[in-house]
Amino acid sequence: MIRRIESMMNACFDSETIYQDLFQSNPQPMWIYDLQTLCILDVNCAATLHYGYSREEFLGLNLKNLRPAAEIPKMQDALEKLREGNMLFSSGSYKHKKKNGEIIDVQLQGNIISVNGKKAELVIATDITTFLRAQENNFLSLERLRDAQKIARIGYWTRNLNEDLSHWCDEMYHIYGRNPANFIPTRQNLINCFHAEDRYLLSEETFSEVLKNHATDYEHRIITEHGEVRWVFQRVELQLGPDGTPIAIKGIIQDITEKKKTDQKFKAIFDQTSDAIILGSRGCDLLDLNDAALVMLGYSRKELTEHTSYEILKELSIGSQNVIWEQFKAGQANSGTTEIRRRNGSDIIVNYNFRPDIVPGVHLCVITDITDRIQKQNQLLASERRFKALVQEGADLIGILDLAGNYKFVSESSFPILGIRPCEFIGKNAFEFIHPDDREQIMGQFSKLAEVKQISTTPFRFKDSKGNWRWIRTIATNLINDPAIGGIVVSSRDITEAVIKSRALKRSNDRFKLIMQAANEAIYDWDIKNDKIEWGSGFYTIFGYRSDTDNSAEWYANICSDDETQVKAELKKSIEDKNTDVAVSEFRYNKANGEVALVEHRIVFLRNRQGVAIRAVGSLKDITDYKQNLITIQLQNKKLKDIARTQSHVARAPLARMMGLVDLIKNYPNSDIEKSNIIDLFLKSASEFDKVIKAISEQTNNDVP
């Protein structure tokens, strides 16, 4: 017996040793915790290293210490299931918190065990943070690739040589203007997409070129499903198998319709403009020039085409000025003014604008003859200096003041604006015309001109010829030191109407806000373009949500899931339909307190001239009670009809008998016995009629509230 006990003890000791070895040496973080107290009972080295705690620190933790605060409710739900059920295993993905505060994602596997007679769980944790981030990054990379294809209007396709069906990416369908739901990219369907004049590109000759050169490029036109003509660039390559045998063809396609349109516009400008346009290559070869260049420079096309490089530009320079030639050699964007010599020896002044690589490898230089303009500018320079000083700010009323604010000059626009002629201002002080309440502020701003070159005043009131106050805004520029001006130039604009409209708009907005607060509906103002929503107080009063929700996505989230898809689809359709000004719908809406309300949604759209919805005013009205009352009334009507039917059938029989008995007594002779029998029958019918009336009354009281 003693030997048997010793043998059992040795076996237990060996089992404990094996458990400790497996537990402590396991590379995965492991721990044991008490299911009731949540205290950590044991932990292996991998867990302490991974979470950053010492063994003593880890054993002093509660299971909640390993969870972020937001994750504790989720943990408690899982624990309740373990405590109440007969589960022997558990698993799940959770978020854990390390000692340094880092949040990680983990996959937990648990086994229910008994420790010293108490129910506990052995947990193995696997850190899946890196795996989840990699998944997320792969998804983002795929989304970016799709976005890049969409932005660049580039599609990709492949086709096995032994198949008739091509495999298209999503953007291919957008470029070809086809619906992927009903379009199958077979060879014949592809031929039908090509412009009739470009279908030769799908011939065997083109395919033979691909087989020979392993690749080919070409441009062609396609016809969309709606008849639109688009230009595309296509590069086709041959795909070889491991043994070098052709197995498939693949290609990329890019929508170059806008480029073609731009090329056509450039060609029209190139041919029709009066400016000289010169095109050249990076290798300094003269590619082309327009007829305007021939006229401006005085050369024939034959003379210029005999030159194979830009060297001809050297002959255009005067003396050592080789500005245009240097620009072509340097290949750097620049513009400026220079003089060039024409074929006949005359000199002209030109503006040049050089742009390298307008398309890869092609430089552009535009030359404009400004000789006449420069000569006229020189002649008018003196007289225009004063004029420019008066009108450069682009305002309506222009004047010149001295440092004290006295008028030295006033433009003719003073009379149509203020009803005061310019001569009536001369010598008078400008501040005398300003409203007394605004004068001190404007004088303070005017005094700053001693330190700064220019000021812009706040709006102020200015008296007109009738004594009315006009709102104006002024820009004042100190040109005292300019001998052509010798004063302070003031440019003023009448903004009276703008101020009146602004105030009216403010009053209107104030009224609108009051209406939003007073209405027994959740009224909102939606800026559709920027997706900004301003809610009235009814959004909180009726539905219990904060009224500072500022985008549509947040209140969409409260629509009952069964109705959300339909509501969004109807709203999207209403927004896109240029003929829709008002839309009304009904759906279920989740209140903040958990109740579900049936709401009537009415929305009025404001559209721009193109019919695009840019703003909307809408309301959400709780019609739950209304609908319930309507149903109640319908049920009551049905019950009343049943009662009426009862009255017309059940009550009519005893009443008819009583009427017949009365007729017997009144119109026929009867013996005393017969009269007695008739009266008994009458009483019996009356009693039966009374029971019917009581039954109807009880039914009415029970069924109709």
Side-chain angles (χ1 to χ4, degrees), residues 557-585:
N558 298 316
I559 299 174
C560 285
S561 57
D562 293 342
D563 299 343
E564 183 178 358
T565 301
Q566 180 180 350
V567 172
K568 288 184 177 180
E570 291 176 351
L571 183 58
K572 182 175 183 294
K573 181 179 179 182
S574 299
I575 292 174
E576 294 175 350
D577 187 354
K578 298 180 179 180
N579 297 319
T580 298
D581 295 325
V582 180
V584 181
S585 62

Side-chain angles (χ1 to χ4, degrees), residues 411-450:
S411 65
E412 294 293 332
S413 58
S414 67
F415 184 79
I417 296 174
L418 301 172
I420 304 175
R421 299 190 181 278
C423 60
E424 298 178 47
F425 280 104
I426 304 303
K428 295 181 180 178
N429 192 279
F431 299 109
E432 296 175 2
F433 296 86
I434 298 175
H435 193 283
D437 294 342
D438 301 333
R439 190 174 301 155
E440 183 176 353
Q441 181 182 14
I442 300 304
M443 290 179 69
Q445 295 175 359
F446 187 82
S447 65
K448 294 180 181 179
L449 286 171

Side-chain angles (χ1 to χ4, degrees), residues 323-460:
V323 177
I324 298 178
W325 164 244
E326 293 299 332
Q327 291 303 131
F328 272 95
K329 287 199 304 180
Q332 297 178 351
N334 201 359
S335 61
T337 303
T338 187
E339 293 185 51
I340 62 175
R341 182 156 293 161
R342 304 176 73 244
R343 178 73 171 79
N344 61 8
S346 61
D347 298 335
I348 58 175
I349 303 172
V350 298
N351 279 340
Y352 66 89
N353 194 324
F354 180 79
R355 290 291 179 269
D357 294 322
I358 56 167
V359 293
V362 179
H363 299 333
L364 167 71
C365 186
V366 179
I367 303 174
T368 305
D369 185 351
I370 60 170
T371 307
D372 290 342
R373 190 186 358 164
I374 292 297
Q375 291 174 350
K376 291 178 181 178
Q377 284 178 348
N378 291 335
Q379 295 172 0
L380 298 174
L381 182 60
S383 60
E384 286 185 349
R385 289 183 66 191
R386 184 181 183 89
F387 174 77
K388 288 181 180 180
L390 296 175
V391 300
Q392 63 184 351
E393 305 302 333
D396 299 322
L397 181 61
I398 301 173
I400 299 178
L401 308 177
D402 61 18
L403 286 174
N406 299 313
Y407 281 107
K408 298 173 61 177
F409 171 83
V410 176
S411 65
E412 294 293 332
S413 58
S414 67
F415 184 79
I417 296 174
L418 301 172
I420 304 175
R421 299 190 181 278
C423 60
E424 298 178 47
F425 280 104
I426 304 303
K428 295 181 180 178
N429 192 279
F431 299 109
E432 296 175 2
F433 296 86
I434 298 175
H435 193 283
D437 294 342
D438 301 333
R439 190 174 301 155
E440 183 176 353
Q441 181 182 14
I442 300 304
M443 290 179 69
Q445 295 175 359
F446 187 82
S447 65
K448 294 180 181 179
L449 286 171
E451 302 173 358
V452 298
K453 179 75 173 179
Q454 188 179 83
I455 64 166
S456 178
T457 70
T458 54
F460 59 94

Side-chain angles (χ1 to χ4, degrees), residues 56-198:
E56 291 73 18
E57 289 174 329
F58 212 110
L59 291 175
L61 296 177
N62 183 287
L63 198 60
K64 294 181 180 179
N65 300 134
L66 296 177
R67 302 295 181 101
E71 284 281 303
I72 291 178
K74 182 179 179 181
M75 178 196 74
Q76 290 175 333
D77 291 341
L79 287 172
E80 287 299 323
K81 293 179 182 178
L82 283 175
R83 290 168 178 167
E84 297 174 0
N86 296 320
M87 300 170 57
L88 297 178
F89 307 97
S90 68
S91 64
S93 298
Y94 302 92
K95 290 188 181 294
H96 274 190
K97 181 174 66 175
K98 292 184 177 182
K99 181 180 179 180
N100 61 6
E102 179 186 355
I103 305 300
I104 60 174
D105 292 283
V106 294
Q107 179 72 33
L108 300 183
Q109 297 288 337
N111 292 336
I112 302 301
I113 62 176
S114 177
V115 177
N116 297 328
K118 296 182 178 180
K119 195 175 182 180
E121 185 178 23
L122 171 64
V123 177
I124 301 176
T126 303
D127 190 336
I128 60 173
T129 306
T130 303
F131 172 74
L132 293 180
R133 298 300 178 271
Q135 278 190 327
E136 183 179 349
N137 290 336
N138 288 338
F139 176 77
L140 290 175
S141 297
L142 181 60
E143 286 297 310
R144 292 191 185 104
L145 176 60
R146 290 175 179 170
D147 290 343
Q149 286 183 330
K150 188 173 182 180
I151 293 171
R153 300 282 288 170
I154 294 177
Y156 175 79
W157 61 270
T158 60
R159 179 170 68 86
N160 293 333
L161 293 181
N162 58 354
E163 295 180 359
D164 182 49
L165 184 65
S166 298
H167 300 278
W168 284 11
C169 72
D170 292 342
E171 189 59 26
M172 287 288 295
Y173 294 95
H174 291 294
I175 294 173
Y176 272 81
R178 293 298 189 276
N179 186 347
N182 53 34
F183 181 80
I184 301 175
T186 62
R187 174 177 172 77
Q188 185 56 50
N189 287 341
L190 186 63
I191 292 174
N192 295 337
C193 292
F194 271 52
H195 192 282
E197 297 178 4
D198 297 338

Side-chain angles (χ1 to χ4, degrees), residues 137 210 318 334 365 447 466 481 487 494 498 503 569 630 642 700:
N137 290 336
V210 176
I318 298 176
N334 201 359
C365 186
S447 65
K466 297 180 180 179
N481 297 325
D494 186 349
R503 290 179 174 178
L630 184 61
D642 292 339
T700 303

